Amino acid sequence: MMKRSIALLSGCLMLLLTACGASTPIPSGAEPAPLSPSPKDQGVRYQAELEEVSGESREGDILLLSYRYEVPVLRAYGEDGAELPEAELPERAKSALTTFNENFSYWRDGQDAQEVESWAREDYASMKDILPIWTEGRGYSTEFTSELYETEGFVSVRGMYYSFTGGAHPNTMYAAWNFDLESGSFVEPGFLAADAQAFQDAVAEEIIRQADAAAETEGVEPGQYYWEEYRDIAAKWADYAVNFDGEGMTVTFAPYEIACYAAGTQEFRLDRDFLGQYLSAEGLRLLGYEE
């Protein structure tokens, strides 16, 4: 079972860093934002949405696996609001949709569920009378949830992957993807900066400042609340989950990445005022921060 957990985490981590059931739109209490044309594709309007993929697997009456994924999907619409068929899409728009959507196919197409189900069946067959996860009828579970922020030229996705495979506690990982609709490609945070190195250094310094303040609040030294090398980890913040929204940028470290599991998820927020010192005019425009 431990090998299964390690394999699951390793496989998902690779997918998160490179950053079945029927797919149905997730209901929303608010009307979607008006579609806006991408500046480089007049007549084509993009919108990122979330679709739910969920289901379960059983061995007789025994629940082996339950899963639920909120999968980001990018679609293209015409000026009349109707979704454009692939045959009518300009080549750049077609390429952008393919690049974005294929990135999340691991969850949308059920590959994650199939892999975890195979491990669950193997573990159940060998340990069904021993492990509490089987004797108590809980089964394995996996979940992928997403948050979207979209402007007319940019989409930022924050994803959280949760899994429980019978260990001492569940496992949680975070990832983020930032997509430039105008180039049709995923980009690093530094892409939005006037000076990528100055931005990298300034964010690292701010994360360390916030980390030191959090440790002081807890009444301990930073090297006790976080890993001893937390400053080196903070310096590589762009390698972790970095997403944007209307208020600024968030850098998220999952349990174990910058601190022990008991410390939980560590989030560092950088507001628009801070970002405005370092982002380029193009970066501000893409994020909708021009005002």
Side-chain angles (χ1 to χ4, degrees):
M1 181 181 63
M2 181 60 69
K3 293 181 179 178
R4 295 285 181 265
S5 299
I6 293 173
L8 175 63
L9 286 170
S10 299
C12 290
L13 183 59
M14 290 300 295
L15 284 161
L16 292 172
L17 292 178
T18 55
C20 296
S23 296
T24 55
I26 294 177
S28 173
E31 292 295 324
L35 296 171
S36 301
S38 169
K40 293 187 178 179
D41 265 342
Q42 296 299 321
V44 177
R45 305 166 185 267
Y46 296 101
Q47 184 161 314
E49 303 166 354
L50 296 180
E51 289 187 349
E52 182 176 296
V53 178
S54 61
E56 61 181 33
S57 300
R58 292 182 174 272
E59 180 70 30
D61 294 333
I62 301 299
L63 176 65
L64 293 177
L65 168 68
S66 60
Y67 60 91
R68 177 181 175 272
Y69 310 131
E70 291 178 351
V71 186
V73 178
L74 187 65
R75 293 190 171 93
Y77 296 84
E79 292 181 338
D80 60 357
E83 185 173 0
L84 294 173
E86 183 175 346
E88 296 181 16
L89 291 175
E91 284 303 314
R92 199 203 65 79
K94 189 184 301 182
S95 175
L97 264 62
T98 298
T99 299
F100 185 94
N101 292 330
E102 286 188 349
N103 188 74
F104 301 99
S105 62
Y106 182 70
W107 294 281
R108 185 185 62 249
D109 298 342
Q111 298 174 55
D112 176 76
Q114 293 170 14
E115 290 181 10
V116 181
E117 179 188 346
S118 68
W119 300 337
R121 289 189 180 279
E122 183 177 336
D123 286 342
Y124 175 70
S126 61
M127 293 180 281
K128 60 184 178 183
D129 299 322
I130 302 173
L131 293 180
I133 193 172
W134 304 124
T135 58
E136 296 173 8
R138 286 180 288 164
Y140 285 9
S141 62
T142 65
E143 185 174 21
F144 177 69
T145 58
S146 304
E147 299 174 9
L148 299 177
Y149 174 67
E150 183 175 12
T151 68
E152 67 176 23
F154 199 78
V155 180
S156 187
V157 181
R158 183 178 190 258
M160 182 189 76
Y161 183 83
Y162 164 96
S163 67
F164 178 68
T165 56
H169 54 71
N171 296 291
T172 304
M173 294 178 290
Y174 292 86
W177 299 266
N178 297 294
F179 192 77
D180 175 20
L181 288 166
E182 299 183 12
S183 67
S185 59
F186 290 97
V187 296
E188 297 296 324
F191 170 82
L192 302 168
D195 182 326
Q197 189 59 57
F199 183 49
Q200 176 82 21
D201 295 343
V203 172
E205 182 178 339
E206 176 61 15
I207 289 175
I208 291 170
R209 186 195 69 78
Q210 292 185 26
D212 289 349
E216 183 178 357
T217 299
E218 295 294 327
V220 297
E221 292 297 317
Q224 296 175 313
Y225 189 70
Y226 299 97
W227 301 135
E228 290 184 2
E229 63 274 21
Y230 78 102
R231 289 175 173 265
D232 295 332
I233 297 171
K236 299 178 180 178
W237 61 268
D239 294 338
Y240 295 86
V242 182
N243 70 289
F244 297 86
D245 58 30
E247 303 303 319
M249 184 179 85
T250 302
V251 181
T252 306
F253 296 90
Y256 294 126
E257 288 184 332
I258 198 170
C260 65
Y261 184 86
T265 299
Q266 299 294 311
E267 293 185 351
F268 299 90
R269 285 285 298 173
L270 300 101
D271 62 25
R272 288 172 57 159
D273 288 340
F274 178 93
L275 297 179
Q277 305 172 73
Y278 302 100
L279 299 186
S280 65
E282 177 72 358
L284 292 168
R285 182 184 68 80
L286 284 174
L287 291 174
Y289 293 174
E290 287 177 301
E291 68 275 14

PDB file of all heavy atoms in Angstrom, residues 107-140:
ATOM      1  N   TRP A 107      -6.936  13.892 -16.162  1.00  0.00           N
ATOM      2  CA  TRP A 107      -8.136  13.835 -15.317  1.00  0.00           C
ATOM      3  C   TRP A 107      -9.408  13.739 -16.156  1.00  0.00           C
ATOM      4  O   TRP A 107     -10.301  12.975 -15.846  1.00  0.00           O
ATOM      5  CB  TRP A 107      -8.189  15.063 -14.405  1.00  0.00           C
ATOM      6  CG  TRP A 107      -7.076  15.066 -13.416  1.00  0.00           C
ATOM      7  CD1 TRP A 107      -6.985  14.351 -12.255  1.00  0.00           C
ATOM      8  CD2 TRP A 107      -5.845  15.795 -13.513  1.00  0.00           C
ATOM      9  NE1 TRP A 107      -5.794  14.589 -11.612  1.00  0.00           N
ATOM     10  CE2 TRP A 107      -5.077  15.472 -12.357  1.00  0.00           C
ATOM     11  CE3 TRP A 107      -5.326  16.688 -14.449  1.00  0.00           C
ATOM     12  CZ2 TRP A 107      -3.811  16.020 -12.131  1.00  0.00           C
ATOM     13  CZ3 TRP A 107      -4.070  17.235 -14.222  1.00  0.00           C
ATOM     14  CH2 TRP A 107      -3.326  16.906 -13.081  1.00  0.00           C
ATOM     15  N   ARG A 108      -9.470  14.492 -17.234  1.00  0.00           N
ATOM     16  CA  ARG A 108     -10.691  14.496 -18.051  1.00  0.00           C
ATOM     17  C   ARG A 108     -10.966  13.125 -18.663  1.00  0.00           C
ATOM     18  O   ARG A 108     -12.114  12.674 -18.722  1.00  0.00           O
ATOM     19  CB  ARG A 108     -10.571  15.539 -19.173  1.00  0.00           C
ATOM     20  CG  ARG A 108     -11.844  15.700 -20.004  1.00  0.00           C
ATOM     21  CD  ARG A 108     -11.645  16.642 -21.161  1.00  0.00           C
ATOM     22  NE  ARG A 108     -10.640  16.153 -22.100  1.00  0.00           N
ATOM     23  CZ  ARG A 108      -9.450  16.718 -22.284  1.00  0.00           C
ATOM     24  NH1 ARG A 108      -9.112  17.796 -21.612  1.00  0.00           N
ATOM     25  NH2 ARG A 108      -8.593  16.207 -23.138  1.00  0.00           N
ATOM     26  N   ASP A 109      -9.917  12.441 -19.118  1.00  0.00           N
ATOM     27  CA  ASP A 109     -10.081  11.144 -19.775  1.00  0.00           C
ATOM     28  C   ASP A 109     -10.073   9.962 -18.807  1.00  0.00           C
ATOM     29  O   ASP A 109     -10.130   8.811 -19.237  1.00  0.00           O
ATOM     30  CB  ASP A 109      -8.993  10.941 -20.830  1.00  0.00           C
ATOM     31  CG  ASP A 109      -9.068  11.980 -21.946  1.00  0.00           C
ATOM     32  OD1 ASP A 109     -10.136  12.612 -22.075  1.00  0.00           O
ATOM     33  OD2 ASP A 109      -8.080  12.161 -22.668  1.00  0.00           O
ATOM     34  N   GLY A 110      -9.949  10.236 -17.514  1.00  0.00           N
ATOM     35  CA  GLY A 110     -10.057   9.177 -16.517  1.00  0.00           C
ATOM     36  C   GLY A 110      -8.807   8.354 -16.295  1.00  0.00           C
ATOM     37  O   GLY A 110      -8.866   7.291 -15.669  1.00  0.00           O
ATOM     38  N   GLN A 111      -7.651   8.820 -16.778  1.00  0.00           N
ATOM     39  CA  GLN A 111      -6.429   8.033 -16.606  1.00  0.00           C
ATOM     40  C   GLN A 111      -6.056   7.892 -15.139  1.00  0.00           C
ATOM     41  O   GLN A 111      -5.629   6.827 -14.693  1.00  0.00           O
ATOM     42  CB  GLN A 111      -5.283   8.679 -17.385  1.00  0.00           C
ATOM     43  CG  GLN A 111      -5.495   8.743 -18.879  1.00  0.00           C
ATOM     44  CD  GLN A 111      -4.399   9.530 -19.574  1.00  0.00           C
ATOM     45  OE1 GLN A 111      -3.213   9.250 -19.429  1.00  0.00           O
ATOM     46  NE2 GLN A 111      -4.792  10.552 -20.321  1.00  0.00           N
ATOM     47  N   ASP A 112      -6.205   8.972 -14.391  1.00  0.00           N
ATOM     48  CA  ASP A 112      -5.909   8.915 -12.966  1.00  0.00           C
ATOM     49  C   ASP A 112      -6.794   7.886 -12.275  1.00  0.00           C
ATOM     50  O   ASP A 112      -6.318   7.045 -11.502  1.00  0.00           O
ATOM     51  CB  ASP A 112      -6.106  10.288 -12.330  1.00  0.00           C
ATOM     52  CG  ASP A 112      -5.893  10.267 -10.825  1.00  0.00           C
ATOM     53  OD1 ASP A 112      -4.729  10.208 -10.393  1.00  0.00           O
ATOM     54  OD2 ASP A 112      -6.895  10.293 -10.084  1.00  0.00           O
ATOM     55  N   ALA A 113      -8.096   7.933 -12.555  1.00  0.00           N
ATOM     56  CA  ALA A 113      -9.033   7.000 -11.922  1.00  0.00           C
ATOM     57  C   ALA A 113      -8.697   5.554 -12.273  1.00  0.00           C
ATOM     58  O   ALA A 113      -8.764   4.656 -11.422  1.00  0.00           O
ATOM     59  CB  ALA A 113     -10.465   7.331 -12.351  1.00  0.00           C
ATOM     60  N   GLN A 114      -8.330   5.299 -13.517  1.00  0.00           N
ATOM     61  CA  GLN A 114      -8.002   3.935 -13.929  1.00  0.00           C
ATOM     62  C   GLN A 114      -6.776   3.412 -13.206  1.00  0.00           C
ATOM     63  O   GLN A 114      -6.741   2.256 -12.766  1.00  0.00           O
ATOM     64  CB  GLN A 114      -7.784   3.903 -15.444  1.00  0.00           C
ATOM     65  CG  GLN A 114      -9.039   4.166 -16.262  1.00  0.00           C
ATOM     66  CD  GLN A 114      -8.750   4.368 -17.732  1.00  0.00           C
ATOM     67  OE1 GLN A 114      -7.668   4.064 -18.216  1.00  0.00           O
ATOM     68  NE2 GLN A 114      -9.722   4.915 -18.450  1.00  0.00           N
ATOM     69  N   GLU A 115      -5.750   4.265 -13.053  1.00  0.00           N
ATOM     70  CA  GLU A 115      -4.536   3.840 -12.360  1.00  0.00           C
ATOM     71  C   GLU A 115      -4.813   3.548 -10.896  1.00  0.00           C
ATOM     72  O   GLU A 115      -4.387   2.507 -10.364  1.00  0.00           O
ATOM     73  CB  GLU A 115      -3.463   4.919 -12.491  1.00  0.00           C
ATOM     74  CG  GLU A 115      -2.908   5.069 -13.889  1.00  0.00           C
ATOM     75  CD  GLU A 115      -1.836   6.144 -13.966  1.00  0.00           C
ATOM     76  OE1 GLU A 115      -1.398   6.627 -12.890  1.00  0.00           O
ATOM     77  OE2 GLU A 115      -1.436   6.506 -15.085  1.00  0.00           O
ATOM     78  N   VAL A 116      -5.516   4.459 -10.231  1.00  0.00           N
ATOM     79  CA  VAL A 116      -5.776   4.271  -8.804  1.00  0.00           C
ATOM     80  C   VAL A 116      -6.703   3.074  -8.587  1.00  0.00           C
ATOM     81  O   VAL A 116      -6.544   2.321  -7.616  1.00  0.00           O
ATOM     82  CB  VAL A 116      -6.374   5.548  -8.186  1.00  0.00           C
ATOM     83  CG1 VAL A 116      -6.618   5.347  -6.692  1.00  0.00           C
ATOM     84  CG2 VAL A 116      -5.441   6.734  -8.398  1.00  0.00           C
ATOM     85  N   GLU A 117      -7.650   2.865  -9.475  1.00  0.00           N
ATOM     86  CA  GLU A 117      -8.537   1.703  -9.353  1.00  0.00           C
ATOM     87  C   GLU A 117      -7.746   0.406  -9.436  1.00  0.00           C
ATOM     88  O   GLU A 117      -8.009  -0.545  -8.676  1.00  0.00           O
ATOM     89  CB  GLU A 117      -9.607   1.717 -10.439  1.00  0.00           C
ATOM     90  CG  GLU A 117     -10.544   0.506 -10.360  1.00  0.00           C
ATOM     91  CD  GLU A 117     -11.496   0.405 -11.534  1.00  0.00           C
ATOM     92  OE1 GLU A 117     -11.632   1.382 -12.288  1.00  0.00           O
ATOM     93  OE2 GLU A 117     -12.101  -0.672 -11.706  1.00  0.00           O
ATOM     94  N   SER A 118      -6.776   0.330 -10.341  1.00  0.00           N
ATOM     95  CA  SER A 118      -5.986  -0.903 -10.466  1.00  0.00           C
ATOM     96  C   SER A 118      -5.204  -1.179  -9.193  1.00  0.00           C
ATOM     97  O   SER A 118      -5.095  -2.336  -8.757  1.00  0.00           O
ATOM     98  CB  SER A 118      -5.036  -0.800 -11.667  1.00  0.00           C
ATOM     99  OG  SER A 118      -4.020   0.158 -11.445  1.00  0.00           O
ATOM    100  N   TRP A 119      -4.689  -0.135  -8.549  1.00  0.00           N
ATOM    101  CA  TRP A 119      -3.978  -0.312  -7.283  1.00  0.00           C
ATOM    102  C   TRP A 119      -4.944  -0.718  -6.180  1.00  0.00           C
ATOM    103  O   TRP A 119      -4.614  -1.565  -5.343  1.00  0.00           O
ATOM    104  CB  TRP A 119      -3.245   0.971  -6.906  1.00  0.00           C
ATOM    105  CG  TRP A 119      -2.242   1.398  -7.922  1.00  0.00           C
ATOM    106  CD1 TRP A 119      -1.622   0.609  -8.846  1.00  0.00           C
ATOM    107  CD2 TRP A 119      -1.751   2.719  -8.135  1.00  0.00           C
ATOM    108  NE1 TRP A 119      -0.779   1.357  -9.626  1.00  0.00           N
ATOM    109  CE2 TRP A 119      -0.826   2.645  -9.210  1.00  0.00           C
ATOM    110  CE3 TRP A 119      -2.001   3.946  -7.534  1.00  0.00           C
ATOM    111  CZ2 TRP A 119      -0.154   3.771  -9.685  1.00  0.00           C
ATOM    112  CZ3 TRP A 119      -1.325   5.062  -7.996  1.00  0.00           C
ATOM    113  CH2 TRP A 119      -0.407   4.975  -9.064  1.00  0.00           C
ATOM    114  N   ALA A 120      -6.127  -0.112  -6.178  1.00  0.00           N
ATOM    115  CA  ALA A 120      -7.116  -0.442  -5.158  1.00  0.00           C
ATOM    116  C   ALA A 120      -7.526  -1.916  -5.262  1.00  0.00           C
ATOM    117  O   ALA A 120      -7.651  -2.606  -4.243  1.00  0.00           O
ATOM    118  CB  ALA A 120      -8.337   0.459  -5.302  1.00  0.00           C
ATOM    119  N   ARG A 121      -7.742  -2.381  -6.479  1.00  0.00           N
ATOM    120  CA  ARG A 121      -8.134  -3.788  -6.658  1.00  0.00           C
ATOM    121  C   ARG A 121      -7.039  -4.732  -6.190  1.00  0.00           C
ATOM    122  O   ARG A 121      -7.307  -5.756  -5.537  1.00  0.00           O
ATOM    123  CB  ARG A 121      -8.462  -4.056  -8.127  1.00  0.00           C
ATOM    124  CG  ARG A 121      -9.759  -3.406  -8.591  1.00  0.00           C
ATOM    125  CD  ARG A 121     -10.176  -3.867  -9.972  1.00  0.00           C
ATOM    126  NE  ARG A 121     -11.413  -3.208 -10.374  1.00  0.00           N
ATOM    127  CZ  ARG A 121     -12.614  -3.600  -9.987  1.00  0.00           C
ATOM    128  NH1 ARG A 121     -12.735  -4.667  -9.198  1.00  0.00           N
ATOM    129  NH2 ARG A 121     -13.707  -2.950 -10.389  1.00  0.00           N
ATOM    130  N   GLU A 122      -5.813  -4.410  -6.494  1.00  0.00           N
ATOM    131  CA  GLU A 122      -4.693  -5.252  -6.073  1.00  0.00           C
ATOM    132  C   GLU A 122      -4.556  -5.268  -4.557  1.00  0.00           C
ATOM    133  O   GLU A 122      -4.375  -6.329  -3.944  1.00  0.00           O
ATOM    134  CB  GLU A 122      -3.403  -4.747  -6.720  1.00  0.00           C
ATOM    135  CG  GLU A 122      -2.187  -5.595  -6.402  1.00  0.00           C
ATOM    136  CD  GLU A 122      -0.942  -5.109  -7.108  1.00  0.00           C
ATOM    137  OE1 GLU A 122      -1.078  -4.438  -8.163  1.00  0.00           O
ATOM    138  OE2 GLU A 122       0.168  -5.380  -6.611  1.00  0.00           O
ATOM    139  N   ASP A 123      -4.655  -4.076  -3.939  1.00  0.00           N
ATOM    140  CA  ASP A 123      -4.523  -3.999  -2.483  1.00  0.00           C
ATOM    141  C   ASP A 123      -5.698  -4.678  -1.779  1.00  0.00           C
ATOM    142  O   ASP A 123      -5.520  -5.332  -0.749  1.00  0.00           O
ATOM    143  CB  ASP A 123      -4.420  -2.539  -2.035  1.00  0.00           C
ATOM    144  CG  ASP A 123      -3.068  -1.942  -2.368  1.00  0.00           C
ATOM    145  OD1 ASP A 123      -2.128  -2.715  -2.608  1.00  0.00           O
ATOM    146  OD2 ASP A 123      -2.962  -0.709  -2.385  1.00  0.00           O
ATOM    147  N   TYR A 124      -6.891  -4.520  -2.339  1.00  0.00           N
ATOM    148  CA  TYR A 124      -8.063  -5.154  -1.732  1.00  0.00           C
ATOM    149  C   TYR A 124      -7.938  -6.670  -1.779  1.00  0.00           C
ATOM    150  O   TYR A 124      -8.238  -7.369  -0.795  1.00  0.00           O
ATOM    151  CB  TYR A 124      -9.328  -4.709  -2.456  1.00  0.00           C
ATOM    152  CG  TYR A 124     -10.577  -5.417  -1.965  1.00  0.00           C
ATOM    153  CD1 TYR A 124     -11.097  -5.146  -0.698  1.00  0.00           C
ATOM    154  CD2 TYR A 124     -11.218  -6.369  -2.760  1.00  0.00           C
ATOM    155  CE1 TYR A 124     -12.235  -5.806  -0.230  1.00  0.00           C
ATOM    156  CE2 TYR A 124     -12.356  -7.028  -2.306  1.00  0.00           C
ATOM    157  CZ  TYR A 124     -12.855  -6.748  -1.047  1.00  0.00           C
ATOM    158  OH  TYR A 124     -13.972  -7.401  -0.597  1.00  0.00           O
ATOM    159  N   ALA A 125      -7.473  -7.197  -2.901  1.00  0.00           N
ATOM    160  CA  ALA A 125      -7.337  -8.647  -3.044  1.00  0.00           C
ATOM    161  C   ALA A 125      -6.340  -9.226  -2.047  1.00  0.00           C
ATOM    162  O   ALA A 125      -6.535 -10.334  -1.535  1.00  0.00           O
ATOM    163  CB  ALA A 125      -6.914  -8.990  -4.471  1.00  0.00           C
ATOM    164  N   SER A 126      -5.294  -8.472  -1.725  1.00  0.00           N
ATOM    165  CA  SER A 126      -4.249  -9.005  -0.847  1.00  0.00           C
ATOM    166  C   SER A 126      -4.444  -8.650   0.624  1.00  0.00           C
ATOM    167  O   SER A 126      -3.923  -9.356   1.496  1.00  0.00           O
ATOM    168  CB  SER A 126      -2.877  -8.510  -1.316  1.00  0.00           C
ATOM    169  OG  SER A 126      -2.814  -7.097  -1.266  1.00  0.00           O
ATOM    170  N   MET A 127      -5.211  -7.575   0.918  1.00  0.00           N
ATOM    171  CA  MET A 127      -5.302  -7.111   2.305  1.00  0.00           C
ATOM    172  C   MET A 127      -6.725  -6.753   2.732  1.00  0.00           C
ATOM    173  O   MET A 127      -6.932  -5.941   3.629  1.00  0.00           O
ATOM    174  CB  MET A 127      -4.378  -5.905   2.500  1.00  0.00           C
ATOM    175  CG  MET A 127      -2.902  -6.253   2.380  1.00  0.00           C
ATOM    176  SD  MET A 127      -1.809  -4.813   2.612  1.00  0.00           S
ATOM    177  CE  MET A 127      -1.964  -4.044   0.996  1.00  0.00           C
ATOM    178  N   LYS A 128      -7.727  -7.358   2.095  1.00  0.00           N
ATOM    179  CA  LYS A 128      -9.109  -6.968   2.396  1.00  0.00           C
ATOM    180  C   LYS A 128      -9.537  -7.295   3.818  1.00  0.00           C
ATOM    181  O   LYS A 128     -10.494  -6.687   4.329  1.00  0.00           O
ATOM    182  CB  LYS A 128     -10.055  -7.631   1.407  1.00  0.00           C
ATOM    183  CG  LYS A 128     -10.003  -9.157   1.418  1.00  0.00           C
ATOM    184  CD  LYS A 128     -10.898  -9.723   0.325  1.00  0.00           C
ATOM    185  CE  LYS A 128     -10.826 -11.229   0.268  1.00  0.00           C
ATOM    186  NZ  LYS A 128     -11.654 -11.771  -0.844  1.00  0.00           N
ATOM    187  N   ASP A 129      -8.876  -8.230   4.463  1.00  0.00           N
ATOM    188  CA  ASP A 129      -9.263  -8.599   5.826  1.00  0.00           C
ATOM    189  C   ASP A 129      -8.367  -7.967   6.881  1.00  0.00           C
ATOM    190  O   ASP A 129      -8.510  -8.253   8.071  1.00  0.00           O
ATOM    191  CB  ASP A 129      -9.227 -10.121   5.993  1.00  0.00           C
ATOM    192  CG  ASP A 129     -10.195 -10.821   5.059  1.00  0.00           C
ATOM    193  OD1 ASP A 129     -11.293 -10.275   4.865  1.00  0.00           O
ATOM    194  OD2 ASP A 129      -9.844 -11.893   4.522  1.00  0.00           O
ATOM    195  N   ILE A 130      -7.453  -7.093   6.428  1.00  0.00           N
ATOM    196  CA  ILE A 130      -6.454  -6.550   7.351  1.00  0.00           C
ATOM    197  C   ILE A 130      -6.575  -5.040   7.517  1.00  0.00           C
ATOM    198  O   ILE A 130      -6.639  -4.526   8.636  1.00  0.00           O
ATOM    199  CB  ILE A 130      -5.022  -6.895   6.866  1.00  0.00           C
ATOM    200  CG1 ILE A 130      -4.852  -8.407   6.740  1.00  0.00           C
ATOM    201  CG2 ILE A 130      -3.979  -6.313   7.807  1.00  0.00           C
ATOM    202  CD1 ILE A 130      -3.544  -8.806   6.119  1.00  0.00           C
ATOM    203  N   LEU A 131      -6.608  -4.336   6.421  1.00  0.00           N
ATOM    204  CA  LEU A 131      -6.542  -2.877   6.483  1.00  0.00           C
ATOM    205  C   LEU A 131      -7.885  -2.256   6.821  1.00  0.00           C
ATOM    206  O   LEU A 131      -8.912  -2.637   6.258  1.00  0.00           O
ATOM    207  CB  LEU A 131      -6.050  -2.321   5.146  1.00  0.00           C
ATOM    208  CG  LEU A 131      -4.597  -2.641   4.772  1.00  0.00           C
ATOM    209  CD1 LEU A 131      -4.261  -2.023   3.437  1.00  0.00           C
ATOM    210  CD2 LEU A 131      -3.640  -2.146   5.839  1.00  0.00           C
ATOM    211  N   PRO A 132      -7.897  -1.269   7.714  1.00  0.00           N
ATOM    212  CA  PRO A 132      -9.157  -0.596   8.087  1.00  0.00           C
ATOM    213  C   PRO A 132      -9.876   0.020   6.894  1.00  0.00           C
ATOM    214  O   PRO A 132     -11.100   0.075   6.877  1.00  0.00           O
ATOM    215  CB  PRO A 132      -8.692   0.485   9.071  1.00  0.00           C
ATOM    216  CG  PRO A 132      -7.421  -0.047   9.643  1.00  0.00           C
ATOM    217  CD  PRO A 132      -6.758  -0.798   8.526  1.00  0.00           C
ATOM    218  N   ILE A 133      -9.105   0.509   5.888  1.00  0.00           N
ATOM    219  CA  ILE A 133      -9.750   1.146   4.750  1.00  0.00           C
ATOM    220  C   ILE A 133     -10.719   0.206   4.047  1.00  0.00           C
ATOM    221  O   ILE A 133     -11.724   0.622   3.476  1.00  0.00           O
ATOM    222  CB  ILE A 133      -8.696   1.688   3.750  1.00  0.00           C
ATOM    223  CG1 ILE A 133      -9.362   2.624   2.746  1.00  0.00           C
ATOM    224  CG2 ILE A 133      -7.994   0.549   3.024  1.00  0.00           C
ATOM    225  CD1 ILE A 133      -8.390   3.342   1.849  1.00  0.00           C
ATOM    226  N   TRP A 134     -10.443  -1.124   4.138  1.00  0.00           N
ATOM    227  CA  TRP A 134     -11.332  -2.104   3.513  1.00  0.00           C
ATOM    228  C   TRP A 134     -12.356  -2.633   4.514  1.00  0.00           C
ATOM    229  O   TRP A 134     -13.533  -2.755   4.201  1.00  0.00           O
ATOM    230  CB  TRP A 134     -10.526  -3.262   2.920  1.00  0.00           C
ATOM    231  CG  TRP A 134      -9.485  -2.825   1.947  1.00  0.00           C
ATOM    232  CD1 TRP A 134      -8.148  -3.080   1.993  1.00  0.00           C
ATOM    233  CD2 TRP A 134      -9.684  -2.030   0.766  1.00  0.00           C
ATOM    234  NE1 TRP A 134      -7.511  -2.502   0.942  1.00  0.00           N
ATOM    235  CE2 TRP A 134      -8.419  -1.861   0.161  1.00  0.00           C
ATOM    236  CE3 TRP A 134     -10.802  -1.452   0.173  1.00  0.00           C
ATOM    237  CZ2 TRP A 134      -8.252  -1.127  -1.012  1.00  0.00           C
ATOM    238  CZ3 TRP A 134     -10.639  -0.716  -0.998  1.00  0.00           C
ATOM    239  CH2 TRP A 134      -9.379  -0.560  -1.577  1.00  0.00           C
ATOM    240  N   THR A 135     -11.907  -2.943   5.745  1.00  0.00           N
ATOM    241  CA  THR A 135     -12.840  -3.505   6.727  1.00  0.00           C
ATOM    242  C   THR A 135     -13.903  -2.491   7.144  1.00  0.00           C
ATOM    243  O   THR A 135     -15.007  -2.865   7.549  1.00  0.00           O
ATOM    244  CB  THR A 135     -12.075  -3.989   7.971  1.00  0.00           C
ATOM    245  OG1 THR A 135     -11.337  -2.899   8.541  1.00  0.00           O
ATOM    246  CG2 THR A 135     -11.084  -5.102   7.597  1.00  0.00           C
ATOM    247  N   GLU A 136     -13.587  -1.180   7.023  1.00  0.00           N
ATOM    248  CA  GLU A 136     -14.559  -0.149   7.356  1.00  0.00           C
ATOM    249  C   GLU A 136     -15.325   0.342   6.131  1.00  0.00           C
ATOM    250  O   GLU A 136     -16.177   1.218   6.234  1.00  0.00           O
ATOM    251  CB  GLU A 136     -13.849   1.027   8.027  1.00  0.00           C
ATOM    252  CG  GLU A 136     -13.207   0.656   9.361  1.00  0.00           C
ATOM    253  CD  GLU A 136     -12.361   1.779   9.927  1.00  0.00           C
ATOM    254  OE1 GLU A 136     -12.406   2.903   9.349  1.00  0.00           O
ATOM    255  OE2 GLU A 136     -11.659   1.552  10.922  1.00  0.00           O
ATOM    256  N   GLY A 137     -14.989  -0.208   4.963  1.00  0.00           N
ATOM    257  CA  GLY A 137     -15.734   0.106   3.750  1.00  0.00           C
ATOM    258  C   GLY A 137     -15.534   1.503   3.200  1.00  0.00           C
ATOM    259  O   GLY A 137     -16.416   2.044   2.537  1.00  0.00           O
ATOM    260  N   ARG A 138     -14.372   2.120   3.450  1.00  0.00           N
ATOM    261  CA  ARG A 138     -14.155   3.499   3.000  1.00  0.00           C
ATOM    262  C   ARG A 138     -13.645   3.570   1.565  1.00  0.00           C
ATOM    263  O   ARG A 138     -14.047   4.422   0.801  1.00  0.00           O
ATOM    264  CB  ARG A 138     -13.170   4.206   3.930  1.00  0.00           C
ATOM    265  CG  ARG A 138     -13.771   4.564   5.279  1.00  0.00           C
ATOM    266  CD  ARG A 138     -12.741   5.249   6.151  1.00  0.00           C
ATOM    267  NE  ARG A 138     -11.728   4.313   6.612  1.00  0.00           N
ATOM    268  CZ  ARG A 138     -10.554   4.675   7.139  1.00  0.00           C
ATOM    269  NH1 ARG A 138     -10.257   5.964   7.236  1.00  0.00           N
ATOM    270  NH2 ARG A 138      -9.691   3.769   7.567  1.00  0.00           N
ATOM    271  N   GLY A 139     -12.730   2.697   1.201  1.00  0.00           N
ATOM    272  CA  GLY A 139     -12.174   2.713  -0.139  1.00  0.00           C
ATOM    273  C   GLY A 139     -11.184   3.848  -0.370  1.00  0.00           C
ATOM    274  O   GLY A 139     -11.025   4.746   0.449  1.00  0.00           O
ATOM    275  N   TYR A 140     -10.518   3.778  -1.519  1.00  0.00           N
ATOM    276  CA  TYR A 140      -9.616   4.845  -1.932  1.00  0.00           C
ATOM    277  C   TYR A 140     -10.457   6.030  -2.432  1.00  0.00           C
ATOM    278  O   TYR A 140     -11.595   5.858  -2.863  1.00  0.00           O
ATOM    279  CB  TYR A 140      -8.715   4.386  -3.069  1.00  0.00           C
ATOM    280  CG  TYR A 140      -7.580   3.465  -2.687  1.00  0.00           C
ATOM    281  CD1 TYR A 140      -7.468   2.917  -1.413  1.00  0.00           C
ATOM    282  CD2 TYR A 140      -6.604   3.137  -3.615  1.00  0.00           C
ATOM    283  CE1 TYR A 140      -6.429   2.081  -1.079  1.00  0.00           C
ATOM    284  CE2 TYR A 140      -5.550   2.292  -3.300  1.00  0.00           C
ATOM    285  CZ  TYR A 140      -5.463   1.769  -2.028  1.00  0.00           C
ATOM    286  OH  TYR A 140      -4.432   0.930  -1.699  1.00  0.00           O
TER     287      TYR A 140
END
